[in-house]
Every structure is written in structure tokens, then in C-alpha cells.
Amino acid sequence: MIGLVAGPEAGVLVARAQALAVLRIRSAALAVALLPAAAAAVLAAGIAMGRIPDGGAWSAARWAFTGAAVLALALAATVAAVVVRARPALSPTVAIPEEKAPDLYRLVRDLAERLEVPVPSAMALTPDCDSWLEDRTHPAHGSPHGAANGPPSARRPRRRSTAAPVLVIGSPFLWWMRVAELRALLAPVVAGTGPSAHPDIAAARRFVRGLDAAVAVAAGRPALAFVGGVARLLLHSCRGHAAEMERGVAAAASERAQSVDYGLRIVAQEQVGLAYAGWDRLLNRVALPAWRMGRWPSRLDAGVVSALTELSRRDRLAEGFASRLGERPACDLLEEPGAIDEAASLLAARLFHGGPPDTGPGWLPVAWSQYPEEVVDRKWRLEAARLHRVLDVVDALPALTPVPAAPAGMAAAPTVARVLERLAGPAADGVAEELGARLGAEVAREAAQEALTARQRAFGAAATAEPWVDGLAPLFPLQPPRSGRELLADHVTAMVCCAAVDTAGAAPGLDWLDGPALLVGGARRPGLARTVLSLIEDGDDAPLRAWLGEVGVRPEKPVRLV
């Protein structure tokens, strides 16, 4: 029968069939829980009607089944209560009320009318390159307009509503894509509100989300071990049907969206890949150094436009993408794009780095115009200071000191020459290993202390050194811990950059694709990274000394460390 149905209805029929399979599993679980009660009722009725002899084995069986029924019903009620009341996972987002984006709501409303599907109940932004529909009708989620991310007073439990799902949009899309491209990209997502409104599909989704939430609630709680086991068993039984149901929903939504901007959607999908590449580089190479310095760029989404424009300029494959910038950007659909960008940028810092939820001492916003001075220069100075502190410790180890140390009671001058003396030559490999290990230990110790301080600011003096407890930060750390050699290379590079700024008239700068950059004569000077690696890995200081001579850096001059 399904094979004879064409168009989006075929996908809906597939999804509904799988939803019914999920609901049958729920009914089967309920039947198992009621089985002892049914047996006890049959025995009691049989004895009362005289069909079964009263007393002896039959009476004992009746009481045994009655006890089993009470226990089974109590356990079933406990499992059902946890499944129903457990709060399903909610994606951290920035809510967009209609009064702050009337044009965006109008666009989505018109799109839903063209697709003949229900309009999403609200909209929100996520600091990622993805878009989806999210059901927030659970009582614990509060208002579908995003109260779940608001103050506790806005998260009071309420009765489950039948509101349509919330449309979550990737914030980089709003700034990089044009209005027509965004509409084409959102068409298949908005079309998913149609299947989501089907009672069987909605009920199956609620059941699966409730099981998933129950597993999370029971984790680490011995008193709920039975609940967790049952929920895991049911979730495992539903997994295949739930996956097929979602595939059917996606197929139905995609088929329904064919009639809306199909040709433009192909172009929009190309922009998705480009936006993801630019967003990833911006987070890893530009935002992450700032976050580590206690600063969070307050215009990340605007920065991704600059990064992608720069990528378009450098990459021939991206030629022509920048010409789109003359069209109306989708962020014009917002009344206050700057405020929305700032909120999304702060959320990105929480998700990808673990920053505090609000601005405070040691965690301040930074504008792109201030980035070179507030982040790049400060990063270099702190890393140079850390390198020389570790060098002082290593110099106290006679077996690792390749040159005479400074006289007792006198600290060696913070110069590039000192670094070159310690790391050059065949005997310097042990020094490099020791420096890398000690730098790694000091960086880890400083990071742990900064995280504890941030938690104490957010949760009070009772916060401990345990991981974040608010469920938000960091969910998706960007980079794994760096090796000792990588840390040493970063610190030596920072030392050279400080010397170039102090003695050769260079300046800290920002490269939208590579992050912190050294500007010599207003332009980036290539070759520094290669020469630093030659020094650290091979003990060969000749390439770096040649680079310093070309730039005009005086390695014997002390640099400013603070």
C-alpha cells in the first residue's frame, strides 16, 4: 500500500507505521506490568464465583499473584512517573521573540503557508551550522519561546501543550546567507512541522524522549537502578523503529519542500559547507585564543562573514561567493542583530570552552577592533613570561643547563638570545623536552585554577574543582590538550613576536583565518613558524637568526613581559 502512494504522504505513512511500532512496544511493556494483576483478578473472580476451590494451593496462588501484582504495579508506576516527569534534553539556544525579529517570523510564516504545514511556535538561534525542529512541549521546558533558558521563575512546570515545535536556526547562517538562501535552506526544516503534528508520531517521539531522559535521570542513582534498566531495555527495543520513523519524517519534509525554491536550495547547500569551514576556523583559531585569555569576542557571527570573505579572496574555488554580499543579508531580518550576535557569542563560549554564563572580572567581551591589543599582544606577553619562568627552573638543573646560568640572586634577562642559547645545539634536546613538560604542567595548573575561579563566580564559594554542573559548559571542547612540543613552539613564537614588537616596530594583528598574527610593515611576515620548528625539533637556530635579522629584531634586547 505504501509503495502505491507518491509524494510526501509516502514518507508520512512510513513514519506513522514505525511510530505505531514504537507505541506497540509501550503497550507491550504495560501489558507485562499488568499481567500479575490480571492473573490475581482471574483467581479472585474464580474463587468468588465458586469456579475455583477456596483454600489450599489456589488460595496461596491468589495471594502470591496479588502480592506480585502490587509490586509490579508499584514498579510500573515508578517507571512511568520517571519517564513522564524526566526532563528531555534541551538544546542550549538564544531565544528570538517575535518582537525582536518580525521579518524573520513573517518569512517563516509565509514559508509554512506555502508548504501547507503548521507554523513553528517560536524561533531560537544556536551557535552552530545546523538547523532543526525541537519539541519543547514538556512541562519542565516552560514557555516554548525559550523560557527554559531563562530565570527559574520562568521554568515553573506547566501542563503539556500541543504547540508546534520550535525552529532552531544556526546563527552563522543568518549573517552569511542572503534572505532568499535562508528561506530555501529552511524550507525542508519547516516542512517537518507537518509530520510532527501527527498524533501517532508525536506520541512516539514523546515516549522515546521520555525514555532517554529517564536513563539520564537514573544514571549514577542506585535507588533508580531498576528504572534505568527498564528504560534502557525499552529504548533499545525502540531504537530501530524510531530511526526509521525519523527517516520517514525527513523524507516527507524533503519531498514537500521540493515545490519551494528548489533550485536556490542547491546554492544554499553550498553555502552551508562554506559557512561550516569558516565557522570552524573562526572558533579554533580566533575565538579560542581569546577565550583562553578571559575574553570572549562579542561579534562572532559578524566575524564569520569577514572570515568567509577572506577565504573567498584566497581560494579560487570560493570565487563568486563574495559577490553575493551585495544582496540583503538574512541578519537584516532581526531588529537588533548586534544584541543577538552578542548573546550567541556568549553561548558559543560556554558550549565550546566552558566560560561563565555572564560577563565579570576576568571574563570580558572584546570587540574585533580591540582584539589585537586585548588578546594577541596580551597572549604573547603572558606566554613569554611563562616561558622565562620555566627557563629559570630548568636553569637550576645542572644536568640540563647547556650554558652558564645567571649569578645567584639575579634573574636572567628575558631575551630571545637566552632562548636561542638554551635550545640550540646537539645537547639542547633534553632541555626542549624538559621545557615542554614543565610548560604543559603549568598550563594545565593555570587552566584548572581559572576554571575553579569561574565556577566560584557563577555558583558561589561552594563550587569545587569538579566539572561544570550547569550542563552547558563545555559540551563540545574544540581542541584536545596540546603536546609539550606544541606548547614550546607556541611560547617561543610568542617570545619572538614580543621582541619584534618591542625592537623592530612590528604590531600584533588579527588574521580572520589563522588568528593572532604578527604584522611587519602592515603585512604578515611569513616563515616564522618554520624557523621555530627547526630550532625546537633540530636544535638549529640558523634559520630563526636569519629571520630575525631580516625583520630587524634585536635578540639581545630584553622584552616587556607584562
Side-chain angles (χ1 to χ4, degrees), residues 487-509:
L487 285 170
L488 181 57
D490 290 344
H491 285 68
V492 172
T493 300
M495 183 66 198
V496 172
C497 290
C498 289
V501 171
D502 292 347
T503 68

Side-chain angles (χ1 to χ4, degrees), residues 98-195:
E98 185 168 0
E99 60 270 17
K100 293 191 176 180
D103 290 343
L104 180 60
Y105 273 79
R106 191 176 302 113
L107 180 146
V108 173
R109 192 174 294 114
D110 293 343
L111 189 57
E113 290 177 359
R114 292 176 61 185
L115 293 168
E116 299 180 345
V117 296
V119 181
S121 61
M123 279 183 251
L125 288 187
T126 178
D128 201 358
C129 293
D130 198 3
S131 297
W132 65 88
L133 293 171
E134 185 165 86
D135 184 2
R136 298 185 178 181
T137 58
H138 192 278
H141 286 161
S143 167
H145 293 271
N149 290 342
S153 60
R155 299 197 298 264
R156 294 189 184 97
R158 59 181 180 86
R159 298 183 65 183
R160 186 185 299 276
S161 73
T162 57
V166 174
L167 175 60
V168 181
I169 306 173
S171 62
F173 295 159
L174 280 178
W175 270 260
W176 175 244
M177 290 190 169
R178 309 299 96 182
V179 172
E181 293 171 347
L182 181 67
R183 183 178 60 245
L185 184 69
L186 293 180
V189 183
V190 174
T193 60

Side-chain angles (χ1 to χ4, degrees), residues 17 60 82 199 254 339 426 495:
V82 173
S254 178
M495 183 66 198

